[in-house]
Amino acid sequence: MTAHLSETLTLLLIEDDDGDALLVEELLKEAGAPPHVHRARTVEEAKARLSPEIQCVLVDLNLPDAQGLEALEQVLALAPYAAVLVLTGLRDMHVGVAAVQAGAQDYLVKQDVDARLLARAIRYAMERKRADLAQLRLVQAELTAQENARLESGLLPVALLPSTSVEHATRYLPGSRGTLLAGDFLDTVQTPDGAVHVVVGDVCGHGPDEAALGVAMRIAWRTLVLAGQTGDTLLRTLDSLLRAERKTPEIFTTLCTATIAPDLGGVRMRVVGHPPPVLVRDGVVTVVEGAPSGPPLGIFTDAAWPEIEVPLGAEWSIMLYTDGLIEAAAGGDEEPLGVEGLVRLVREHGDVDLDRLIAQAGELSDDLAAVLVRRRASR
């Protein structure tokens, strides 16, 4: 009966006995799709023959330069992404069991092998290897996500907002592209004069360098605000810091700053190459007009960022966010949510509800930082 392998495979047979090697090769020729078989007589010879196209390794554990589990350990180290099938003799069945416990996908007793059993063992060994690698990737992803979450939570600021006159909420979420650290940052500070200062920014790129740069920008912003520096002085200082700290000249940063007046009746904003804030005033939902008010930081040395003044009134909500929110695929559609879609969702809700808004925005393809500041009318 013809053995069955559903795809043409590339195998490496590590066997010093010519008779045993010939038997295996003849049995494999009976497969429905006979595999390409490379032969090595020693582990040292196998080093030169192992390559990424090798999908399965059949190894005898009695080789001239390695014996027993020592041979297996060397093969596993040489071929971490290939399935490994151990060939043993009748007297070495216990070695086969130990080999599976040590990392091999399966073992075969040479005297019991026929074409059908060999083909099935190879197929099953490869499936087990795929499952093992998938599980390993899952565990690694979970560990990386946990570590990133721990780092991100440790890097996020505690708002300096002693006043209870306004409501304040933030969200910081990773996108679906993975667990990479991102350069999104946010902060809120109330100065002694009662003004509430908010920033949301996004360093382009993902990874530890961008995350570190985002933290540096956020700390610099907080320090400057507490020192009384705002407006052009603050932005030019941040621009200089970005140029000094970035790893490559292609790195830029978008951000939005807002300074809410002490009487909470108005806000001054600079939208630096960033998505426009969403404003809800007396039940009317809009985006801040005039945004962006200038290019991102790190692009032009002579850039200017005009101030946008917006009256707020007695009851209002204002949301600053990074582009991860408007790049989400709304409702699973391929098209991103966009600013218009974001405004539509806020109108449907009647106000800004961060959790509900993010849930309805769809799957995040990029990281998200958002700050909501709200003032309710006195009853």
Side-chain angles (χ1 to χ4, degrees), residues 12-311:
L12 175 63
L13 172 62
I14 311 175
E15 172 63 79
D16 65 315
D17 186 287
D18 290 336
D20 288 343
L22 179 61
L23 173 63
V24 171
E25 290 170 348
E26 289 299 318
L27 292 175
L28 288 172
K29 287 179 181 178
E30 298 181 28
H36 303 296
V37 182
H38 300 278
R39 166 94 183 277
R41 291 174 171 79
T42 65
V43 173
E44 188 62 33
E45 187 178 338
K47 290 181 181 179
R49 296 189 178 276
L50 278 169
S51 59
E53 66 262 19
I54 298 295
Q55 296 157 290
C56 184
V57 179
L58 288 74
V59 56
D60 178 30
L61 297 185
N62 292 305
L63 300 171
D65 58 347
Q67 299 289 314
L69 295 183
E70 177 190 355
L72 174 62
E73 290 171 356
Q74 293 187 44
V75 171
L76 291 173
L78 291 170
Y81 296 106
V84 176
L85 186 61
V86 168
L87 302 175
T88 72
L90 281 172
R91 292 175 298 175
D92 298 323
M93 289 183 62
H94 66 285
V95 177
V97 174
V100 172
Q101 294 173 341
Q105 273 63 58
D106 207 347
Y107 75 96
L108 287 174
V109 178
K110 296 179 184 179
Q111 290 83 350
D112 296 338
V113 173
D114 58 25
R116 184 181 180 86
L117 178 60
L118 180 58
R120 185 175 65 181
I122 291 172
R123 186 170 67 249
Y124 286 178
M126 292 182 59
E127 289 303 319
R128 290 191 189 102
K129 186 63 178 182
R130 290 190 183 105
D132 290 344
L133 291 175
Q135 179 64 26
L136 179 61
R137 287 192 292 269
L138 178 61
V139 171
Q140 290 174 337
E142 289 177 348
L143 290 175
T144 302
Q146 291 173 6
E147 181 63 11
N148 283 351
R150 186 184 67 81
L151 288 172
E152 287 175 348
S153 64
L155 297 176
L156 292 177
V158 176
L160 298 181
L161 188 60
S163 173
T164 59
S165 300
V166 294
E167 299 176 13
H168 178 261
T170 65
R171 296 294 183 271
Y172 194 97
L173 300 173
S176 61
R177 68 178 59 193
T179 55
L180 293 174
L181 290 169
D184 291 16
F185 59 94
L186 54 83
D187 204 352
T188 303
V189 171
Q190 186 171 28
T191 46
D193 62 357
V196 177
H197 306 263
V198 182
V199 66
V200 167
D202 185 1
V203 177
C204 70
H206 295 78
D209 290 339
E210 289 78 7
L213 185 53
V215 173
M217 298 288 284
R218 193 268 299 170
I219 293 175
W221 177 87
R222 174 176 283 207
T223 302
L224 289 164
V225 169
L226 291 175
Q229 300 295 326
T230 58
D232 288 337
T233 300
L234 182 147
L235 292 177
R236 295 199 182 282
T237 304
L238 292 180
D239 185 73
S240 298
L241 173 67
L242 172 65
R243 295 174 188 276
E245 295 290 334
R246 63 188 177 184
K247 298 297 183 182
T248 63
E250 293 80 20
I251 299 295
F252 62 87
T253 296
T254 70
L255 58 85
C256 178
T257 66
T259 298
I260 301 168
D263 64 4
L264 308 180
V267 60
R268 304 191 312 277
M269 313 185 75
R270 283 180 167 83
V271 186
V272 182
H274 200 77
V278 172
L279 177 64
V280 182
R281 248 179 333 194
D282 299 324
V284 179
V285 183
T286 61
V287 293
V288 173
E289 296 182 1
S293 58
L297 300 178
I299 302 292
F300 304 111
T301 55
D302 59 347
W305 302 278
E307 189 172 75
I308 303 172
E309 293 192 28
V310 180

Side-chain angles (χ1 to χ4, degrees), residues 167-170 317-320 351-354 370-374:
E167 299 176 13
H168 178 261
T170 65
S317 299
I318 188 166
M319 180 179 66
L320 283 60
D351 203 345
V352 179
D353 182 328
L354 286 181
V371 177
L372 169 66
V373 182
R374 174 185 291 124

Side-chain angles (χ1 to χ4, degrees), residues 357-368:
L357 189 63
I358 292 169
Q360 287 192 259
E363 183 180 2
L364 298 178
S365 60
D366 198 359
D367 303 280
L368 162 68

